[in-house]
């Protein structure tokens, strides 16, 4: 199975916290609140992916706008759902456009315009 490189956890908690400009305790809090789920090594060490860093930056933006963690949880959930629905709609449109091919109108009058 091929894993998306953006989803692979590579950063330790200290590095992830530094990269997004927050404290390690905040990352632990966000995880406890269900805002993100970092990967873990076999030994149980948290590993943060590029996707996790994007989520952490989004959390920081929403905090700066005055949302609390419950509000942020709702926003992240709605954004994820919205993205999934857009992808589903795109795939649906692609399927229906390939199924709809122009066909000859069998009822068309091929004699041309009516004579006056």
């Amino acid at each position: 199975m091929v894993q998306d490189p953006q989803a692979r956890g590579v950063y330790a908690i200290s590095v992830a916290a530094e990269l997004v400009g927050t404290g390690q305790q905040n990352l632990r809090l966000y995880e406890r609140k269900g805002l993100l789920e970092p990967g873990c090594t076999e030994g149980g060490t948290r590993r943060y992916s590029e996707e996790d860093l994007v989520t952490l930056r989004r959390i920081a933006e929403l905090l700066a706008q005055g949302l609390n963690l419950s509000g942020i949880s709702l926003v992240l959930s709605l954004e994820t759902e919205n993205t999934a629905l857009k992808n589903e709609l795109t795939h649906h449109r692609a399927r229906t456009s390939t199924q709809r091919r122009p066909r000859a109108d069998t009822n068309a009058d091929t004699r041309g315009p009516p004579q006056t």
Side-chain angles (χ1 to χ4, degrees):
M1 179 166 112
V2 177
Q3 186 180 19
D4 179 2
Q6 298 292 313
R8 198 173 116 239
V10 294
Y11 302 108
I13 191 169
S14 58
V15 175
E18 186 175 335
L19 287 171
V20 297
T22 192
Q24 295 177 31
Q25 70 280 4
N26 290 335
L27 274 62
R28 290 185 189 100
L29 174 63
Y30 303 155
E31 183 181 353
R32 276 196 313 273
K33 295 290 186 177
L35 300 178
L36 77 154
E37 276 185 56
C40 284
T41 64
E42 289 180 15
T45 303
R46 290 174 178 90
R47 293 288 179 199
Y48 293 84
S49 67
E50 288 295 329
E51 287 179 357
D52 292 329
L53 297 182
V54 168
T55 300
L56 289 166
R57 289 182 183 108
R58 182 68 176 133
I59 291 169
E61 290 173 8
L62 295 170
L63 284 168
Q65 292 176 9
L67 273 72
N68 62 20
L69 294 182
S70 294
I72 291 171
S73 177
L74 182 58
V75 167
L76 294 177
S77 176
L78 290 171
E79 287 176 344
T80 299
E81 184 179 350
N82 190 33
T83 300
L85 289 170
K86 283 180 179 179
N87 289 339
E88 186 179 323
L89 182 59
T90 300
H91 287 95
H92 175 72
R93 285 180 176 161
R95 280 194 313 270
T96 56
S97 70
T98 58
Q99 291 172 353
R100 269 195 238 146
R101 297 216 167 105
R103 33 175 213 228
D105 187 358
T106 55
N107 296 327
D109 187 357
T110 56
R111 294 177 284 171
Q115 300 291 324
T116 55

